[in-house]
Amino acid sequence: MIDKQKIKDFLAKSAGVETEIIIYSENNASTRFSNNSITQNVKNESIYFKLRVLEGKKTSAVSSDDLSVENLEKMRKKALEINKFAKDDSDLLPLLDKDDELTVDSAYDKKTAEMEPSMRTEIVNRCVSEAGKKGMQAAGFLRNGSSGLVIATNKGMWRENRRSHFSLSLSVMNEEGSGWASFSSSKFDQKAVEEVVKKAVEKADASRNLQTLPPGPYTVILEPAAVADLIAFLGFGGLGGLSFVENRSFMSGKLGKKIMDEKITITDDVNDDLFKACPFDFEGLETKKVVLIENGVAKAVVHDRKTAAIALTESTGHSLPQPNSHGPFPRALKVSKGSSKIEEMIKSTEKGILVTRFHYTNMLDPMRVTVTGMTRDGLFLIEKGKTTKALKNFRFTESILEAFSRVVMVGDSHKLTQGFFGGGFVTPALKIENFHFSSNTDF
């Protein structure tokens, strides 16, 4: 538990030198399982803070997990001592002149945060039971808990956010293939868990007698999890202000120009119901909704105060902890949904491939956002409007900008999916023509 008054009293005594404290706290519980058995059941609580001082154009930070007043004073002295040897940073901005407080916990659910191990065991048993009925093996990861973030300065600013979280990732395997499904939210949902179990088992049961297709361009229907993995690279590759102003972004010099099919609109919105992410950034500013790509046209990137000044615009409230060499970053990417059900996408496909998700994806070319990776956990051939065969996996190599310029149908529902490298993304399914699979696999 963070003693707010203690922190405020400490900061009140820190006059003369700008001082900032960022406190992270986590309460996590998780259950891992494989081969139809629980293999690990753990719970941990942690707290960590970073204290930063600013003097002129110099800044230094220290960190610790001891929030006692004695340690806070000790760490501040240490930061001031280190700062004597720091080099000037000509781009360093002062702390915000804000003397106000904001506390938000709209994404906190006590039952989810404090779920007992017995409840997690019941969920795992459900997964194992349904996989076992088909003679298959279940493996996965189940996690719940809560996290907290506090940003406070000796100018009087206090920002506090608390969230709960629940996630289930389930893989089901037979002797040849596998199926997978997941659910992530700030709140436990029994119905969603049942859907995960049903989908993963059905996918795995259908992944038998795997066939091989030659690599090449195919019409694909990407389920939301596969789309999420691609969207993650758009965020990493150039939707932040620093790469944009340094001309390292696919968005650099493209604002106002068409870069994707008009069916694609991408926003960053922390207040979206599926995200309910932290509503402020690490500078303490409100995180605004930003329309990044609208009907295929590049519209904007996200900014912190530093990149906004260079771009002669305003911060959108997407700062990471300062100073930061990565620059601002979108935290709640969402692809607008369309009007097509996946069943309609399949029915309208003469020959194509249904992709459950991607795995081990990596960036090859950030300016074209060319990515390579593997398909995983359910790949199916579509012939004359029906899924007919399970397929061995492919490696793909594709420019996301070019692929998203060949979108012909957009799904009518959203799903929140964790990306391979973390973060969450709200995406619909997409039907894309001529998606390039570059080589085969043996599984």
Side-chain angles (χ1 to χ4, degrees):
M1 180 67 72
I2 296 171
D3 189 330
K4 180 177 180 179
Q5 192 57 51
K6 183 179 71 176
I7 302 298
K8 291 175 72 73
D9 289 345
F10 163 75
L11 288 168
K13 295 176 183 177
S14 305
V17 177
E18 292 191 357
T19 305
E20 172 193 74
I21 294 180
I22 300 177
I23 305 170
Y24 309 87
S25 59
E26 283 192 321
N27 183 356
N28 286 317
S30 62
T31 299
R32 291 180 182 273
F33 55 104
S34 64
N35 296 324
N36 287 348
S37 298
I38 290 176
T39 57
Q40 186 183 58
N41 215 349
V42 298
K43 181 178 181 180
N44 71 287
E45 297 181 18
S46 63
I47 194 164
Y48 158 86
F49 78 85
K50 187 177 81 170
L51 185 150
R52 185 165 70 105
V53 297
L54 297 86
E55 294 180 290
K57 289 296 182 182
K58 293 183 178 182
T59 186
S60 295
V62 293
S63 60
S64 171
D65 59 0
D66 179 1
L67 269 174
S68 68
V69 173
E70 295 77 15
N71 190 56
L72 286 171
E73 291 175 347
K74 178 183 174 183
M75 299 305 285
R76 184 171 183 272
K77 289 178 182 177
K78 189 174 182 179
L80 290 170
E81 186 65 24
I82 292 172
N83 211 37
K84 293 176 183 177
F85 303 96
K87 292 182 178 179
D88 283 353
D89 179 355
S90 58
D91 294 327
L92 184 66
L93 295 174
L95 297 177
L96 280 177
D97 282 321
K98 280 187 172 290
D99 182 5
D100 59 359
E101 298 187 11
L102 175 64
T103 298
V104 181
D105 63 356
S106 57
Y108 181 81
D109 178 70
K110 190 172 187 293
K111 290 183 178 178
T112 301
E114 299 178 0
M115 179 182 289
E116 294 292 332
S118 59
M119 182 64 181
R120 294 199 303 278
T121 300
E122 285 183 22
I123 295 170
V124 172
N125 287 342
R126 176 74 175 144
C127 298
V128 168
S129 172
E130 291 304 305
K133 289 178 182 176
K134 299 285 186 178
M136 299 188 289
Q137 302 287 317
F141 182 75
L142 177 61
R143 187 170 76 107
N144 73 284
S146 61
S147 61
L149 171 67
V150 170
I151 303 171
T153 73
N154 65 347
K155 292 189 173 183
M157 187 184 78
W158 182 276
R159 299 286 182 271
E160 184 169 2
N161 179 244
R162 183 175 61 156
R163 300 174 50 77
S164 55
H165 55 257
F166 174 87
S167 61
L168 169 64
S169 176
L170 172 62
S171 297
V172 179
M173 291 150 281
N174 61 47
E175 62 281 1
E176 280 189 274
S178 60
W180 169 87
S182 72
F183 170 68
S184 298
S185 177
S186 60
K187 188 175 182 180
F188 171 71
D189 184 335
Q190 182 65 45
K191 183 179 178 182
V193 167
E194 293 297 330
E195 290 174 355
V196 166
V197 175
K198 181 174 184 289
K199 184 174 181 180
V201 170
E202 287 181 350
K203 288 259 185 185
D205 198 32
S207 296
R208 302 177 190 271
N209 302 313
L210 303 182
Q211 305 295 305
T212 298
L213 283 187
Y218 289 91
T219 295
V220 293
I221 297 170
L222 305 181
E223 294 194 356
V227 177
D229 224 27
L230 302 184
I231 293 299
F233 284 95
L234 289 180
F236 296 142
L239 293 175
L242 186 58
S243 60
F244 176 77
V245 299
E246 292 179 347
N247 294 317
R248 295 183 288 108
S249 162
F250 65 89
M251 297 283 277
S252 299
K254 300 289 180 61
L255 295 188
K257 298 180 180 178
K258 190 170 184 291
I259 61 172
M260 297 177 183
D261 187 87
E262 63 185 15
K263 299 179 200 60
I264 297 296
T265 292
I266 301 174
T267 58
D268 186 83
D269 184 8
V270 297
N271 294 312
D272 183 272
D273 285 342
L274 288 174
F275 284 116
K276 291 184 179 177
C278 182
F280 52 83
D281 71 358
F282 284 88
E283 291 183 308
L285 289 172
E286 176 190 0
T287 301
K288 300 175 183 175
K289 177 181 178 179
V290 181
V291 179
L292 302 157
I293 296 168
E294 186 174 35
N295 299 327
V297 176
K299 301 295 287 187
V301 297
V302 299
H303 286 289
D304 57 16
R305 289 190 296 154
K306 176 182 173 181
T307 63
I310 297 171
L312 302 178
T313 185
E314 295 182 351
S315 172
T316 57
H318 288 80
S319 174
L320 295 176
Q322 295 293 325
N324 197 293
S325 59
H326 296 289
F329 196 76
R331 293 184 284 120
L333 290 175
K334 176 180 179 180
V335 180
S336 296
K337 61 185 179 182
S339 58
S340 302
K341 298 185 181 303
I342 285 187
E343 293 79 7
E344 294 170 344
M345 295 182 184
I346 294 173
K347 191 174 181 180
S348 64
T349 302
E350 181 65 20
K351 183 176 182 181
I353 295 173
L354 177 64
V355 180
T356 299
R357 66 164 171 162
F358 294 125
H359 170 65
Y360 208 64
T361 43
N362 278 296
M363 181 86 82
L364 297 176
D365 179 356
M367 296 304 286
R368 295 176 62 230
V369 203
T370 301
V371 172
T372 187
M374 310 288 289
T375 61
R376 186 181 186 184
D377 294 328
L379 191 69
F380 303 97
L381 177 64
I382 302 169
E383 296 175 296
K384 297 181 179 179
K386 296 179 179 178
T387 54
T388 56
K389 297 180 179 71
L391 299 173
K392 291 184 178 180
N393 287 298
F394 280 117
R395 170 170 289 280
F396 76 93
T397 304
E398 181 63 272
S399 160
I400 298 174
L401 296 181
E402 293 174 14
F404 280 19
S405 296
R406 301 192 298 268
V407 170
V408 291
M409 298 176 83
V410 180
D412 65 348
S413 62
H414 276 135
K415 183 174 176 57
L416 172 64
T417 307
Q418 302 291 324
F420 182 72
F421 287 113
F425 308 91
V426 169
T427 51
L430 295 178
K431 180 176 176 179
I432 300 173
E433 293 181 334
N434 296 319
F435 192 86
H436 191 251
F437 291 110
S438 47
S439 62
N440 293 110
T441 72
D442 294 328
F443 54 93

